[in-house]
Amino acid sequence: MKQLLVIVFVACTVIASGQQKEPKVSGNRWVFGGNVALSFSTNGFLIGASPTVGYRFTERLTAGGGGLYYYQSIRGFGQNYTASIYGPQLYARFVVGQNVLQDGDRLFLQSDYYNINSKYYNPLNDEFNRKWVPQWYVGGGYFFQIGNNVFAGVNIMYDLIDDPNAAFPNPMIQGGISVGL
């Protein structure tokens, strides 16, 4: 099943890139990005990172991959709980519109595939076990410029696999700020 999902993901990327007749991208085609998470509360904390490297095939199509690792510690009700999730990720993003509402904005479609190793509760032996869980999100979003090389954006993604042991919610709604270097 995992191999089939990866093949479909790659095939969709190749089909999408083959349908575009655009001029070649000039300059450096490599794209570096990702996310960093840091959260503290009176009951615990979360820290993590998910660096990515992509390749811009055309002005509209970018695809790449990376890895992720998040660690969480929670205290409450007389117990301590710690968990970590990690695994590889792949992504493809296709810009369907530019300058839609203002100069510099982008409306895009995106697909993300994760294979996450995380803890899950097994009621048969009353223990937490580790398991690899695939998640395949599809959706889209909107990015707009708010300053010189500073963008804000939001995207909404739906997990097509929707495994009950998934580490991330379904649907996933994300927002953030991007700073170009």
Side-chain angles (χ1 to χ4, degrees), residues 5 111 135-138 157-163 170:
L5 292 175
S111 178
Q135 291 186 262
W136 185 11
Y137 284 97
V138 294
M157 309 284 280
Y158 182 79
D159 182 6
L160 297 176
I161 299 171
D162 201 21
D163 188 297
N170 194 24

Side-chain angles (χ1 to χ4, degrees), residues 78-132:
Q79 298 201 13
N80 292 329
Y81 172 78
T82 62
S84 60
I85 64 170
Y86 50 86
Q89 68 184 83
L90 298 172
Y91 76 91
R93 178 180 287 179
F94 182 74
V95 176
V96 294
Q98 295 180 359
N99 304 321
V100 178
L101 299 176
Q102 66 180 27
D103 285 343
D105 69 356
R106 292 180 194 102
L107 186 64
F108 61 88
L109 298 174
Q110 185 162 325
S111 178
D112 293 348
Y113 179 81
Y114 301 93
N115 195 19
I116 304 296
N117 187 289
S118 63
K119 276 186 181 179
Y120 74 99
Y121 178 69
N122 184 345
L124 297 177
N125 60 7
D126 194 32
E127 293 179 354
F128 282 93
N129 299 315
R130 296 200 71 82
K131 180 179 182 179
W132 288 97

Side-chain angles (χ1 to χ4, degrees), residues 7-22 57-63 91-96 109-111:
I7 290 169
V8 170
F9 181 88
V10 171
C12 289
T13 302
V14 171
I15 291 168
S17 67
Q19 292 175 346
Q20 298 305 313
K21 301 200 188 272
E22 301 176 23
F57 293 96
T58 70
E59 287 295 327
R60 297 174 129 192
L61 179 66
T62 304
Y91 76 91
R93 178 180 287 179
F94 182 74
V95 176
V96 294
L109 298 174
Q110 185 162 325
S111 178

